[in-house]
Each structure stands twice: as C-alpha cells, then as structure tokens.
Amino acid sequence: MSLISVNVGLPREVEWQGKVVHTAIWKQPVPGRVIARRLNLDDDGQGDLAGHGGEHRAVMVYQLDSYRYWEAHFQRHDFEYGQFGENLTVDCLPYDEVCIGDRYRIGSALFEVTQPRVICYRVGIRMNNPQMPALLVSHKRPGFYFRVIEEGEIGAGDEIVKVADGQEHVSVAEIDALLYLPGHPRDQLERALRIPSLSAGWKGSLEALVEADQLGGNAGLAPSSAPPPAWNGFRSLRVPAVQRESVDVLSFILESEDQSPLPAFFAGQFLVSSSNSTRTQLQSCETIRCLVRRVQEPIASA
C-alpha cells in the first residue's frame, strides 16, 4: 500500500452559477515532503469550517481505484490528483475494508480513520457537474477522513502501514450506509456508537436515530436538540423558476404564495412535496435550490 500523491490548496473565491463561492476544493499535488499537523497539512486550508476541517476532519483521503471508476463512468481522461478535493490520493484502503478507528503509519506521521466524507456541493463545482455530490453518495465512493494522531512528514511514494484495528471493526462503507441508506438496524447503530474514534458529528446523527427508534419516530439527520419544524403538514409554495443543471438534474426555486420570507434552511434538510400529479422528496442543498428525487411509494406529511 502506498501514498500516490499529497495535495493541498488554500481557499479562493470562485464564480459558480452567477454567485461567488468561497472554497478550497481545488487541491494541487505537492512535490517533496509535507508536514501533517493536527488540523491540516502545511499550506492547506478549508473554505467552510462549519462543514470541513477540525481535528476529526484534518486530512481527506481518496482512492486511485475511484479515479479509475469515474474516468470510465464519465469517459474522461483529464483528472489530476486532488480532483476530488482530497489531501491524500492512495492506491489502497477500500471502503469495505477500512474501518473507523483503524490507524495507519505514513512517513513519520500516524493517522486514524474517523468518518466518511459528508459530500459538499463544492465538489460539483470542481468537477463542473452539479450532480457530482449525489453521484458520490449513490455510487458509494465518498472518500473518508483521517485524524492526525502523531504529527510528521509525509510524501508521495511513502508506504502506508496499518498499525492498529479500530474497535468494533465497522467499515467506512457500513457507517456511511447506516446514515444514508434505508433501514437503521438498532444493533448496528449501537455497535457504531461504541467506537471511540467516530467523530462527534456522526455520533450525534446516529444517536438521534437510536432515540427515534426508542420513541417510534423518525429522526432524520437532526439531533434531538434541533428546533421544531417550521410548520406542520403541507404548505403551499410557488415555483417561480426552474433551472436545468444537467441532462437529468433540475433546480426548483421555491417561494411562498404571498411572497413572505420563508424560514432559514439548513444543508441536508428534507422536505416532502405533494402535487396533483405526484409526490416527491426534496433534499435541500447548500443553496436555495432543491434537488428532486422521485420515490416509488407515496409519502405522507408528518
């Protein structure tokens, strides 16, 4: 197992669909060796510290196998290392084998696996494909994060040596599925929550699912301390504009019928929409637009 490339980048302002976005999704390969520190690599940074960075999300990892997968999927051959916003491009560490809490020695640094990557819309900017965040989730190739246990030097070509197994032996793929795929088995949730290395954010989301199971409700992804719903049942909204993002992705702009301000939204929130012809589930992104996903069974309001 080896480290193929070390990639860094600092935040910049990027124009995207008529707006300016502050992002550090652009990472470039670094010649020579780099110091891996507690919060990031030298000369690296994060544009949105609410969703990226911190001790448990210090270093993002992506596999060379996924590069080859996306090259075949998109019939593209212009990818460069750092294309998916990762700090470390590796030729190993598949999702179904790497477990939360596993520790790896690379160069003189020691790393620990903490969580899968939570997909951000900014990767769609980097790929020039707004559908990319949804594809990374649905194709089960998100990437994952390292925590830096011992600071040290790393560089392309370094051997990656596993030095410890994570408690409970829960893979990155299993953790990702617990949160994002249908069905949340209680025993698997409790097993995941016993992992001391799992990041606080993921623990909070899994604890909410356990609590909802105890109460017979639906936690979604919000902790129990989250504010109550902005309104109960269905509320009439207008769609003043529809924008085509790609061949099979549309963005719907929503507003109230009386044009009064709508409550503030949060990234990753879900809405239920009911129309005369169909019902759809809307997943709000980190913009005021919504991606539409049709569902086979009718959805009732809570």
Side-chain angles (χ1 to χ4, degrees):
M1 301 189 295
S2 64
L3 177 58
I4 301 299
S5 180
V6 179
N7 317 297
V8 301
L10 295 173
R12 65 172 78 172
E13 304 295 324
V14 177
E15 291 190 9
W16 174 249
Q17 298 181 343
K19 296 183 179 181
V20 176
V21 178
H22 188 66
T23 178
I25 190 67
W26 266 263
K27 307 292 184 185
Q28 302 296 328
V30 179
R33 304 190 69 73
V34 178
I35 299 293
R37 303 193 187 277
R38 290 289 181 181
L39 296 182
N40 50 33
L41 306 182
D42 276 358
D43 298 320
D44 190 53
Q46 297 84 27
D48 175 16
L49 293 176
H52 307 277
E55 181 182 356
H56 286 84
R57 299 177 297 194
V59 179
M60 215 284 278
V61 182
Y62 208 62
Q63 301 94 335
L64 191 60
D65 177 69
S66 288
Y67 269 78
R68 294 168 179 154
Y69 178 88
W70 293 118
E71 284 174 343
H73 182 83
F74 291 117
Q75 292 297 297
R76 288 179 59 175
H77 303 285
D78 59 340
F79 293 161
E80 58 184 21
Y81 296 136
Q83 184 81 31
F84 296 88
E86 81 276 10
N87 297 116
L88 307 183
T89 312
V90 300
D91 70 347
C92 50
L93 307 183
Y95 300 114
D96 58 349
E97 296 180 12
V98 173
C99 294
I100 304 300
D102 284 356
R103 292 190 174 188
Y104 295 90
R105 175 74 66 181
I106 307 175
S108 60
L110 180 63
F111 300 91
E112 182 179 69
V113 181
T114 57
Q115 66 167 74
R117 173 168 64 170
V118 177
I119 304 302
C120 170
Y121 76 96
R122 291 172 178 85
V123 72
I125 301 177
R126 179 67 178 89
M127 296 290 291
N128 195 29
N129 183 347
Q131 195 180 7
M132 199 65 210
L135 289 173
L136 289 172
V137 173
S138 62
H139 290 241
K140 301 180 178 61
R141 293 178 179 270
F144 61 86
Y145 281 105
F146 273 152
R147 179 164 71 106
V148 180
I149 302 298
E150 295 177 7
E151 297 183 349
E153 282 191 347
I154 60 173
D158 282 351
E159 185 180 8
I160 300 174
V161 180
K162 186 177 182 181
V163 297
D165 290 325
Q167 186 172 320
E168 300 295 333
H169 303 283
V170 179
S171 72
V172 170
E174 289 175 301
I175 287 285
D176 203 53
L178 275 178
L179 200 58
Y180 290 118
L181 297 184
H184 309 286
R186 176 71 175 273
D187 61 333
Q188 293 184 30
L189 289 171
E190 293 177 341
R191 176 184 167 212
L193 287 170
R194 290 195 293 267
I195 306 173
S197 305
L198 185 63
S199 67
W202 277 71
K203 281 185 177 178
S205 296
L206 299 183
E207 286 169 351
L209 293 173
V210 171
E211 182 178 345
D213 180 66
Q214 293 172 338
L215 299 175
N218 182 4
L221 298 181
S224 59
S225 59
W231 63 79
N232 294 321
F234 287 104
R235 172 179 177 178
S236 295
L237 299 175
R238 294 180 59 251
V239 181
V242 178
Q243 178 175 330
R244 180 169 293 280
E245 307 286 3
S246 65
V247 174
D248 52 2
V249 176
L250 298 174
S251 285
F252 291 77
I253 313 300
L254 303 177
E255 68 178 21
S256 60
E257 288 192 316
D258 60 3
Q259 297 188 336
S260 61
L262 291 174
F265 63 89
F266 297 95
Q269 280 183 319
F270 284 84
L271 304 173
V272 174
S273 171
S274 178
S275 67
N276 292 332
S277 58
T278 187
R279 288 185 178 182
T280 59
Q281 186 172 355
L282 306 179
Q283 181 181 10
S284 67
C285 301
E286 295 180 31
T287 68
I288 60 170
R289 297 186 175 90
C290 291
L291 295 178
V292 176
R293 179 181 65 188
R294 291 186 179 276
V295 294
Q296 298 299 320
E297 299 298 329
I299 302 175
S301 62

